[in-house]
Amino acid sequence: MMAADLNHYLWMYAALGQQLCSVQQSKLEEKRRELANLDQKARDAKAKVKKAEDELATAAAELESLPPPPQGNEEKKKVLQAQWKELDVQNRGIDTGIRDKQEELRQHEDELRRAKGRLSQIDNIKSQRLDTLSRILRCGDGMRKAYDWVAQTQQAGRFRGPVFGPILLEVECQDQQHTRYLESQVPMSVWQRFVTVFREDQDLINNHFASQPGSGHGRPFCPIVSNYTGNPQTVITHPKGEAQKYASYGITHTLDQVFAAPPVVKHVMTDEANLNEAYAGTQYTQSVVEKCLQENPQLANLWTPESNYSVRTSMYNKDARSQSVAPVMQRNLISGGANSQERDKLQNECNRIAQVIDAMKPEIQEQLAVQRGNSERMDKFMQEQKRLSKEVQDAADNRQIKATKLTYKQGVLDKARKQPDPRQKAPELQRAIQKCSQDILKMMQSGTALFQQFLITQKAYCVAELHHREMAMQHAALKNASSSNEQEYRSYQEAVKRLKATVAQRRDIVKRLKAEAEEKTNGQPDEELQQAFCALSGKLEELQTEMVRLRAEAEGIACANPRVLQEYQERQKKIAEMEAKLQSQDDELATQQERIKTLHDQWYPDLLSTVKKINQTFQRNFKDIGCAGEVSLAEHPDYDKFAVQIKVKFRDDEDLQVLTASRQSGGERSVSTILYLISIQDVTVCPFRVVDEINQGMDPINERKVFMQLVESACRPGTPQCFLLTPKLLPALPFTAAVQVLQIWNGPTIKQLVGSFDQAKVLGTRKRIRGYAG
């Protein structure tokens, strides 16, 4: 085991020595490269100082070349501000008077609009017929309320089928003479009737009006409702014969043929008033009426322009007939009969209100002209104040920028000058190189001496071990051969003792060498070397041969790999190239960082100023609606991630929160968005703005406040045109003269109104509105 241990420690120590030499050699090459680069670093440092001095001189010259700040601007601003306040006070008084006049004018216009609406109702055919029915039935507005309720219920889809009525409103008759026949033939109980096609619809109408409370004059108005159960598509027959049969007497139609109405209504009228048995004649019929009735005894109801001939046959004697003649009355049910006195009264009222409005408009125009003149002068004063302030601020900002640049350049120069001369490190590097060389030399010498001593000790140990074994064998042989030769045995025993002492001495030397090897290897020998040592032979001749081989390998340890020096040099060259590339990249990085800072200083102050202005307006707008908000700049090392951050607070018991889709409600986000758009109006330039349905989702209180702020900001002089698109607005919103409302007219009644559209009338009204608004 001792031979194996010695062999293991030999290889371990050799590997450790090679590693230590490699480390020292790397340090030596590094110091040499650093020494060779000192001159280049010194030249670079000198060039950097020269560049900093030139930039400092340029910055100082720019600062000196700045013109002096303008003088007397503050006094001019105070004078302009005093004049502006005086005009503002005057405009406020004028504005109060204009608002009072506009409110009075608006009241007159509303009154005129109501009067014209009433006139339109009187002129409307259906409205006239409703009025006629109400007047004849003496039911007040009961018939109109019934008609409106039926129309609303039918539009809401509460009826099972269609509902018609009153019948008078469903009938259209083009011929005036036929209209007179029809009005006289059909009784009033039929004209006022509503018609259904399902029993449940009839019950719904009757139950509704039966449940209505009565007026102070008696029972409530209950319309007559008939339910038609027949087939409306059935052709109406004429039991007395078709009208063409009597054409030779001037008869043209039966009364069911002279008007147009829905089939259900026509069938009900025919059934109730026997229209299919009443014949319409002409003036010629009037002259031959006697002949016609005699030759056609089946005719029982004949109408002529002057009279109605009615023939009745006795139920008991068909030959007994009686004839009655009645004049044709003008009832004006279908043709209409508006109350002319009421219409004249309304027309006179419209004329009077229009005269009052025409008299008020010039007064308002005059006040508006004075206000516009004052506003223009105020705008000029304000623009002049802004120009003076900007002139002073620009001069101060420019001087501050130049001064900051000069300070920065001075700092760069001071930093460059404080850098020590790289060549001062030359003596220190030379000493380090010399020390590394000496350390390498000492390590090689120490390793060589220790290895030589190890070989000598190993040789002596092997010889002593062999002698020990030989003497032990001889001792055993002699002891077995002759036990009588005690003296010789003792001598041999003494020799063995001496050899054992020698072996013990050699073992102590080996242990000492082993301790030194363990100290060098930290007590952890390589397993491979230990196995190799254990594999050695125990014979002296073989050990001597192995020692010669190991000595040859030990002498070749320093150059075991013939390409190690070449590989080392290549790696050193590659390291030098990478260090040079790294230095170049560091210089480029410093240059780009300096350029970034220069560009940053150019736009960053303006950005902060713009965000500050937006924040001031945003805070003021939120304060006006009883909430809190702020706008700030969210900065980031990556300029692409710069952002404007909006924080809002709508309740007293919470802090400002960032505006997000998950934190605030839809109405709160809408309020925040429109107030932010209003806030950026002063710092953005655009030809017009469009706001689409921003008020949807807001509660009425916030919607009214936001609308007032939007109107105020959009109507300021110098602001672009603003369009607000919305399906609805709150009632009684304040509109200034600069606000124009455009309403899209659509719905089921648009077809009826297209025919009555008067373009000239609309254009005339538009011209009057433009003249009023200036």
Side-chain angles (χ1 to χ4, degrees), residues 4 44 48 65 75 101 131 219 221 226 255 397 432 466 469 478 496 506 549 582 622 626 640 677 700 713 767:
D44 293 342
K48 191 173 183 180
S65 63
E75 290 76 7
K101 288 288 186 180
D131 289 343
R219 299 175 58 188
F221 174 77
S226 295
L255 289 189
D397 292 345
L466 291 174
R469 292 183 179 182
L478 289 173
V496 170
R506 297 302 182 184
R549 186 182 66 81
L582 178 62
F622 256 83
D640 289 340
L677 294 177
S713 63
K767 290 180 180 179

Side-chain angles (χ1 to χ4, degrees), residues 97-168:
I98 291 176
R99 288 184 180 179
D100 294 341
K101 288 288 186 180
Q102 288 177 340
E103 181 62 28
E104 184 180 355
L105 180 62
R106 189 176 296 110
Q107 293 176 359
H108 285 302
E109 289 176 341
D110 292 340
E111 188 178 355
L112 179 61
R113 192 178 301 109
R114 288 192 297 269
K116 288 183 176 180
R118 180 57 184 158
L119 277 176
S120 178
Q121 290 181 354
I122 291 177
D123 293 337
N124 184 275
I125 295 176
K126 286 191 175 183
S127 180
Q128 289 181 15
R129 293 181 182 180
L130 282 174
D131 289 343
T132 301
L133 279 176
S134 299
R135 186 170 62 253
I136 294 174
L137 298 176
R138 299 180 181 181
C139 61
D141 58 352
M143 179 58 72
R144 183 177 294 276
K145 289 182 178 180
Y147 172 76
D148 293 338
W149 182 85
V150 170
Q152 294 172 3
T153 306
Q154 186 161 258
Q155 187 175 4
R158 294 176 56 193
F159 289 131
R160 180 180 174 186
V163 177
F164 306 94
I167 289 179
L168 181 61

Side-chain angles (χ1 to χ4, degrees), residues 376-441:
E376 291 175 357
R377 293 178 60 192
M378 291 170 65
D379 291 341
K380 291 180 180 179
F381 291 157
M382 183 61 68
Q383 292 175 3
E384 182 64 18
Q385 291 184 52
K386 290 181 179 179
R387 186 191 66 79
L388 295 174
S389 299
K390 187 175 184 300
E391 184 179 352
V392 174
Q393 187 63 36
D394 290 347
D397 292 345
N398 197 12
R399 184 170 294 275
Q400 179 65 30
I401 292 173
K402 299 298 182 183
T404 303
K405 183 178 180 181
L406 179 63
T407 303
Y408 172 73
K409 296 299 181 183
Q410 183 64 47
V412 173
L413 178 60
D414 293 342
K415 182 178 180 180
R417 286 176 175 173
K418 289 180 181 179
Q419 297 294 329
D421 189 353
R423 290 173 295 187
Q424 294 178 359
K425 297 176 62 177
E428 180 182 353
L429 291 175
Q430 291 174 352
R431 289 192 297 270
I433 292 172
Q434 185 178 4
K435 184 177 182 303
C436 287
S437 301
Q438 292 174 355
D439 291 342
I440 293 173
L441 181 59

Side-chain angles (χ1 to χ4, degrees), residues 41-52:
K41 289 184 178 180
R43 289 193 295 271
D44 293 342
K46 186 176 180 181
K48 191 173 183 180
V49 172
K50 181 63 171 60
K51 179 181 177 182

Side-chain angles (χ1 to χ4, degrees), residues 222-437:
C222 293
I224 300 174
V225 183
S226 295
N227 184 60
Y228 182 73
T229 59
N231 184 5
Q233 303 303 325
T234 302
V235 178
I236 298 175
T237 60
H238 303 92
K240 305 295 184 180
E242 299 297 330
Q244 290 79 358
K245 179 181 178 181
Y246 310 108
S248 59
Y249 302 102
I251 297 175
T252 59
H253 302 83
T254 55
L255 289 189
D256 64 287
Q257 298 173 340
V258 300
F259 68 96
V264 172
V265 174
K266 179 167 285 193
H267 274 274
V268 171
M269 293 178 65
T270 301
D271 295 342
E272 295 291 336
N274 297 322
L275 299 181
N276 58 338
E277 297 181 6
Y279 293 84
T282 60
Q283 192 66 40
Y284 174 74
T285 307
Q286 181 72 37
S287 61
V288 295
V289 63
E290 295 296 336
K291 179 182 178 182
C292 176
L293 293 176
Q294 289 178 1
E295 294 178 355
N296 301 283
Q298 70 273 15
L299 293 181
N301 193 352
L302 178 61
W303 291 88
T304 65
E306 296 179 0
S307 304
N308 171 234
Y309 296 87
S310 178
V311 179
R312 293 186 180 182
T313 303
S314 174
M315 297 177 58
Y316 305 102
N317 185 5
K318 294 184 179 181
D319 295 331
R321 303 175 62 200
S322 64
Q323 176 179 324
S324 63
V325 181
V328 179
M329 305 300 295
Q330 181 71 35
R331 303 183 66 180
N332 292 328
L333 294 177
I334 300 176
S335 59
N339 191 329
S340 60
Q341 294 181 354
E342 182 181 1
R343 193 183 187 288
D344 294 341
K345 182 179 179 181
L346 286 172
Q347 186 63 51
N348 294 334
E349 182 66 15
C350 290
N351 296 336
R352 183 190 67 79
I353 297 173
Q355 292 176 0
V356 173
I357 292 175
D358 293 340
M360 291 182 66
K361 286 182 178 179
E363 298 178 5
I364 297 176
Q365 287 295 329
E366 183 178 356
Q367 294 295 322
L368 287 173
V370 175
Q371 189 181 44
R372 282 196 298 270
N374 290 344
S375 298
E376 291 175 357
R377 293 178 60 192
M378 291 170 65
D379 291 341
K380 291 180 180 179
F381 291 157
M382 183 61 68
Q383 292 175 3
E384 182 64 18
Q385 291 184 52
K386 290 181 179 179
R387 186 191 66 79
L388 295 174
S389 299
K390 187 175 184 300
E391 184 179 352
V392 174
Q393 187 63 36
D394 290 347
D397 292 345
N398 197 12
R399 184 170 294 275
Q400 179 65 30
I401 292 173
K402 299 298 182 183
T404 303
K405 183 178 180 181
L406 179 63
T407 303
Y408 172 73
K409 296 299 181 183
Q410 183 64 47
V412 173
L413 178 60
D414 293 342
K415 182 178 180 180
R417 286 176 175 173
K418 289 180 181 179
Q419 297 294 329
D421 189 353
R423 290 173 295 187
Q424 294 178 359
K425 297 176 62 177
E428 180 182 353
L429 291 175
Q430 291 174 352
R431 289 192 297 270
I433 292 172
Q434 185 178 4
K435 184 177 182 303
C436 287
S437 301

